[in-house]
Amino acid sequence: MSKLEAIAQAIEGGKIKIIGSLVEEALAEQVDPLAILNQGMIQTMGIVGDKFKRGDIFVPEMLIAAKAMKKGVEVLKPRLAGQTDVSLGTCIIGSVAGDMHDIGKNLVAMMIESAGFDVIDLGVDVSTEVFIKAIKEHQKVKIVAFSALLTTTMPAMKASVAAVKASGLEGFKIIVGGAPITEDYALQIGADGYSPDAGSAAVLAKKLIA
Ligand code: B1M
């Protein structure tokens, strides 16, 4: 079995104790960190989601797979994130109200940070009020980023975008993303940008402030 297959299997099986060393071994064998992330981890979470949808697994299995992925990403992070000395400004990010999913949001935060922004991660289930408070409290906010993974939390994203725009606060761009979000939806709710994945979110953030 290849290292990538072993990592995928450990994520799917929620093998939190061995995932860190498997990722380290793969890195030591010069496996591309992006391949570990995309093929070993993100793809596997898609498989986990499909199994959940079919009723082959339930929330606890989905949860331990998510925990294993988080652990794996922790080990991978230093190899994915670049180093920049100059700050491009602050990015406020969070998963919208009612949404507890944070793996994708954490990856977006990590990529935006490595692109040169100071990232304030508000976590999950973030209310509009908390987003607005954070924008007011931080200096040089250039990007406000909303993540949603559930069709049922898309209205919360819409409400947050509308409230931030109506708040009179200025000087930043709003970006949105997450599995059910599309470019059309982003436009429809008045966001300044949409991206389908973490890497392109960082590119978009830089482009929007240029
Ligand atoms: Co949930 N869940 N979940 N879940 N979960 C999904 C999203 C689901 C598609 C599974 C399925 O049915 N196939 C489904 C949603 C269906 C729908 O809305 N139509 C679902 C459901 C139904 C639920 C519950 C309702 C289940 C229940 O309780 N009955 C419940 C809701 C809880 C809540 O939020 N209120 C729930 C709970 C959970 C867990 C807690 C068990 C766990 C989350 C743990 C955690 O995040 N800490 C979980 C998981 C793990 C998943 C799946 C399997 C994997 C999500 C993930 O981490 N993917 C997911 C199925 C799937 O996605 N195929 C599923 C890997 C991650 C890297 O990808 O998050 O998509 P993703 O992020 C990507 C892009 O979307 C993008 O970049 C990232 C990578 O490059 N992106 C952005 C994300 N945010 C962005 C922001 C941007 C730009 C890009 O700009 C700001």
Side-chain angles (χ1 to χ4, degrees):
M1 191 192 308
S2 76
K3 273 279 142 35
L4 282 181
E5 285 164 349
I7 288 168
Q9 221 175 67
I11 299 267
E12 193 174 337
K15 305 280 185 224
I16 296 163
K17 284 193 180 142
I18 61 163
I19 185 70
S21 46
L22 282 175
V23 172
E24 270 161 10
E25 283 166 27
L27 289 170
E29 285 177 20
Q30 310 298 325
V31 181
D32 178 8
L34 269 179
I36 299 178
L37 180 69
N38 292 327
Q39 291 154 40
M41 299 179 174
I42 295 181
Q43 217 165 290
T44 309
M45 292 310 282
I47 294 168
V48 169
D50 291 343
K51 287 193 170 176
F52 173 76
K53 207 158 122 190
R54 289 199 301 269
D56 294 343
I57 61 164
F58 300 97
V59 172
E61 286 96 332
M62 202 155 68
L63 192 58
I64 53 164
K67 283 192 175 156
M69 168 140 180
K70 273 192 174 181
K71 181 87 192 161
V73 169
E74 259 171 47
V75 179
L76 207 53
K77 190 175 170 183
R79 298 291 291 273
L80 288 170
Q83 301 291 327
T84 47
D85 292 336
V86 187
S87 170
L88 297 176
T90 300
C91 167
I92 306 280
I93 188 167
S95 300
V96 300
D99 209 311
M100 307 306 289
H101 297 84
D102 68 353
I103 296 179
K105 183 265 297 165
N106 293 346
L107 287 174
V108 173
M110 188 175 90
M111 295 308 284
I112 289 183
E113 188 177 3
S114 62
F117 290 85
D118 295 318
V119 173
I120 308 295
D121 187 346
L122 302 175
V124 295
D125 188 17
V126 182
S127 68
T128 300
E129 294 70 29
V130 170
F131 273 111
I132 290 179
K133 189 165 173 268
I135 298 168
K136 284 183 182 159
E137 279 173 358
H138 290 92
Q139 303 277 318
K140 290 208 302 173
V141 175
K142 298 285 183 198
I143 297 288
V144 180
F146 298 99
S147 175
L149 259 286
L150 298 169
T151 45
T152 50
T153 55
M154 288 168 72
M157 175 181 270
K158 183 179 178 183
S160 281
V161 171
V164 168
K165 291 193 103 172
S167 68
L169 295 162
E170 284 176 346
F172 54 82
K173 300 286 185 190
I174 297 175
I175 64 170
V176 295
I181 309 301
T182 60
E183 183 108 54
D184 276 355
Y185 186 72
L187 269 175
Q188 193 189 313
I189 65 174
D192 299 303
Y194 156 82
S195 69
D197 56 53
S200 59
V203 173
L204 174 69
K206 277 181 97 167
K207 195 173 121 198
L208 284 174
I209 65 149

CSV table of all heavy atoms in Angstrom, one decimal, residues 93-96 101-111 119 121-124 126 145-149 198:
chain,number,residue,atom,x,y,z
A,93,ILE,N,-12.1,35.7,9.5
A,93,ILE,CA,-12.8,34.5,8.8
A,93,ILE,C,-13.6,33.7,9.9
A,93,ILE,O,-13.2,33.7,11.1
A,93,ILE,CB,-11.7,33.6,8.2
A,93,ILE,CG1,-12.4,32.5,7.4
A,93,ILE,CG2,-10.7,33.0,9.2
A,93,ILE,CD1,-11.4,31.8,6.4
A,94,GLY,N,-14.6,33.1,9.4
A,94,GLY,CA,-15.4,32.2,10.3
A,94,GLY,C,-16.4,31.4,9.5
A,94,GLY,O,-16.7,31.7,8.4
A,95,SER,N,-16.9,30.3,10.2
A,95,SER,CA,-18.0,29.6,9.6
A,95,SER,C,-19.3,30.2,10.1
A,95,SER,O,-19.4,30.6,11.3
A,95,SER,CB,-17.9,28.1,10.1
A,95,SER,OG,-16.7,27.5,9.7
A,96,VAL,N,-20.2,30.4,9.2
A,96,VAL,CA,-21.4,31.2,9.6
A,96,VAL,C,-22.3,30.6,10.7
A,96,VAL,O,-22.1,29.4,11.0
A,96,VAL,CB,-22.3,31.5,8.3
A,96,VAL,CG1,-21.5,32.2,7.3
A,96,VAL,CG2,-22.8,30.2,7.7
A,101,HIS,N,-18.9,23.1,10.8
A,101,HIS,CA,-17.8,22.5,9.9
A,101,HIS,C,-16.7,23.5,9.9
A,101,HIS,O,-16.9,24.7,9.6
A,101,HIS,CB,-18.3,22.3,8.5
A,101,HIS,CG,-19.4,21.2,8.4
A,101,HIS,ND1,-20.7,21.5,8.6
A,101,HIS,CD2,-19.3,19.9,8.2
A,101,HIS,CE1,-21.4,20.4,8.5
A,101,HIS,NE2,-20.6,19.4,8.2
A,102,ASP,N,-15.5,23.0,10.2
A,102,ASP,CA,-14.4,24.0,10.1
A,102,ASP,C,-13.1,23.5,9.4
A,102,ASP,O,-12.1,24.3,9.3
A,102,ASP,CB,-14.0,24.5,11.6
A,102,ASP,CG,-13.4,23.4,12.4
A,102,ASP,OD1,-13.4,22.2,12.0
A,102,ASP,OD2,-13.0,23.7,13.6
A,103,ILE,N,-13.1,22.3,8.9
A,103,ILE,CA,-11.8,21.8,8.3
A,103,ILE,C,-11.5,22.7,7.1
A,103,ILE,O,-10.4,23.2,6.9
A,103,ILE,CB,-11.9,20.3,7.9
A,103,ILE,CG1,-12.1,19.5,9.2
A,103,ILE,CG2,-10.7,19.9,7.2
A,103,ILE,CD1,-12.3,18.1,9.0
A,104,GLY,N,-12.5,22.9,6.2
A,104,GLY,CA,-12.2,23.7,5.0
A,104,GLY,C,-11.9,25.1,5.3
A,104,GLY,O,-11.0,25.7,4.8
A,105,LYS,N,-12.7,25.6,6.3
A,105,LYS,CA,-12.4,27.0,6.7
A,105,LYS,C,-11.0,27.2,7.3
A,105,LYS,O,-10.3,28.2,7.0
A,105,LYS,CB,-13.5,27.4,7.8
A,105,LYS,CG,-13.4,28.8,8.3
A,105,LYS,CD,-12.7,28.9,9.6
A,105,LYS,CE,-13.3,28.2,10.7
A,105,LYS,NZ,-12.4,28.0,11.8
A,106,ASN,N,-10.6,26.2,8.1
A,106,ASN,CA,-9.2,26.2,8.6
A,106,ASN,C,-8.1,26.2,7.5
A,106,ASN,O,-7.1,26.9,7.6
A,106,ASN,CB,-9.0,25.1,9.6
A,106,ASN,CG,-9.8,25.1,10.8
A,106,ASN,OD1,-10.4,26.2,11.1
A,106,ASN,ND2,-9.9,24.0,11.5
A,107,LEU,N,-8.4,25.4,6.5
A,107,LEU,CA,-7.5,25.4,5.3
A,107,LEU,C,-7.4,26.7,4.6
A,107,LEU,O,-6.3,27.2,4.3
A,107,LEU,CB,-7.8,24.3,4.3
A,107,LEU,CG,-7.6,22.8,4.8
A,107,LEU,CD1,-8.2,21.9,3.7
A,107,LEU,CD2,-6.1,22.6,5.0
A,108,VAL,N,-8.6,27.3,4.4
A,108,VAL,CA,-8.7,28.6,3.8
A,108,VAL,C,-7.9,29.7,4.6
A,108,VAL,O,-7.1,30.4,4.1
A,108,VAL,CB,-10.1,29.1,3.6
A,108,VAL,CG1,-10.2,30.5,3.1
A,108,VAL,CG2,-10.9,28.2,2.6
A,109,ALA,N,-8.1,29.6,6.0
A,109,ALA,CA,-7.4,30.5,6.9
A,109,ALA,C,-5.9,30.4,6.7
A,109,ALA,O,-5.1,31.3,6.7
A,109,ALA,CB,-7.8,30.3,8.3
A,110,MET,N,-5.5,29.1,6.7
A,110,MET,CA,-4.0,28.8,6.6
A,110,MET,C,-3.4,29.3,5.3
A,110,MET,O,-2.4,29.9,5.3
A,110,MET,CB,-3.9,27.3,6.7
A,110,MET,CG,-2.5,26.8,6.8
A,110,MET,SD,-2.6,25.0,7.0
A,110,MET,CE,-2.6,24.5,5.3
A,111,MET,N,-4.1,29.1,4.2
A,111,MET,CA,-3.6,29.6,2.9
A,111,MET,C,-3.6,31.1,2.8
A,111,MET,O,-2.7,31.7,2.3
A,111,MET,CB,-4.4,29.0,1.7
A,111,MET,CG,-4.4,27.5,1.6
A,111,MET,SD,-2.7,26.8,1.6
A,111,MET,CE,-2.2,27.2,-0.1
A,119,VAL,N,-4.4,36.7,10.1
A,119,VAL,CA,-5.8,36.1,10.1
A,119,VAL,C,-6.4,36.0,11.5
A,119,VAL,O,-5.7,35.6,12.4
A,119,VAL,CB,-5.7,34.7,9.5
A,119,VAL,CG1,-7.0,33.9,9.6
A,119,VAL,CG2,-5.4,34.7,8.0
A,121,ASP,N,-9.3,34.2,13.2
A,121,ASP,CA,-10.2,33.1,12.9
A,121,ASP,C,-11.2,33.1,14.1
A,121,ASP,O,-10.9,32.8,15.2
A,121,ASP,CB,-9.5,31.8,12.8
A,121,ASP,CG,-10.4,30.6,12.4
A,121,ASP,OD1,-11.6,30.8,12.4
A,121,ASP,OD2,-9.8,29.6,12.1
A,122,LEU,N,-12.5,33.4,13.7
A,122,LEU,CA,-13.5,33.5,14.8
A,122,LEU,C,-14.1,32.1,15.1
A,122,LEU,O,-15.0,32.0,15.9
A,122,LEU,CB,-14.6,34.5,14.3
A,122,LEU,CG,-14.1,35.9,14.0
A,122,LEU,CD1,-15.3,36.7,13.4
A,122,LEU,CD2,-13.5,36.6,15.2
A,123,GLY,N,-13.7,31.1,14.3
A,123,GLY,CA,-14.2,29.7,14.6
A,123,GLY,C,-15.5,29.4,13.9
A,123,GLY,O,-15.7,29.8,12.8
A,124,VAL,N,-16.3,28.6,14.6
A,124,VAL,CA,-17.5,28.1,13.9
A,124,VAL,C,-18.8,28.7,14.5
A,124,VAL,O,-18.7,29.3,15.6
A,124,VAL,CB,-17.6,26.5,14.1
A,124,VAL,CG1,-16.5,25.8,13.3
A,124,VAL,CG2,-17.7,26.1,15.5
A,126,VAL,N,-20.5,31.3,13.9
A,126,VAL,CA,-20.2,32.7,14.2
A,126,VAL,C,-21.4,33.6,13.8
A,126,VAL,O,-21.8,33.6,12.6
A,126,VAL,CB,-18.9,33.2,13.5
A,126,VAL,CG1,-18.6,34.7,13.8
A,126,VAL,CG2,-17.8,32.3,13.8
A,145,ALA,N,-14.1,36.9,5.4
A,145,ALA,CA,-14.4,35.6,4.7
A,145,ALA,C,-15.4,34.7,5.5
A,145,ALA,O,-15.2,34.4,6.6
A,145,ALA,CB,-13.0,34.9,4.6
A,146,PHE,N,-16.4,34.3,4.7
A,146,PHE,CA,-17.5,33.5,5.3
A,146,PHE,C,-17.4,32.1,4.7
A,146,PHE,O,-17.4,32.0,3.4
A,146,PHE,CB,-18.8,34.1,5.0
A,146,PHE,CG,-19.1,35.5,5.6
A,146,PHE,CD1,-18.9,36.6,4.8
A,146,PHE,CD2,-19.5,35.6,6.9
A,146,PHE,CE1,-19.2,37.9,5.3
A,146,PHE,CE2,-19.7,36.9,7.4
A,146,PHE,CZ,-19.5,38.0,6.6
A,147,SER,N,-17.5,31.1,5.5
A,147,SER,CA,-17.6,29.7,5.0
A,147,SER,C,-18.9,29.1,5.5
A,147,SER,O,-19.3,29.3,6.6
A,147,SER,CB,-16.4,28.9,5.6
A,147,SER,OG,-16.4,27.6,5.3
A,148,ALA,N,-19.5,28.3,4.6
A,148,ALA,CA,-20.7,27.5,4.9
A,148,ALA,C,-20.6,26.2,4.2
A,148,ALA,O,-20.3,26.1,3.0
A,148,ALA,CB,-21.9,28.3,4.5
A,149,LEU,N,-20.9,25.1,4.9
A,149,LEU,CA,-20.9,23.8,4.4
A,149,LEU,C,-22.3,23.1,4.2
A,149,LEU,O,-22.4,22.1,3.7
A,149,LEU,CB,-20.0,22.9,5.3
A,149,LEU,CG,-18.6,22.6,4.9
A,149,LEU,CD1,-18.6,21.6,3.8
A,149,LEU,CD2,-17.9,23.8,4.5
A,198,ALA,N,-9.3,26.3,-1.0
A,198,ALA,CA,-8.4,27.1,-0.1
A,198,ALA,C,-7.3,27.9,-0.9
A,198,ALA,O,-7.1,29.1,-0.7
A,198,ALA,CB,-7.8,26.3,1.0
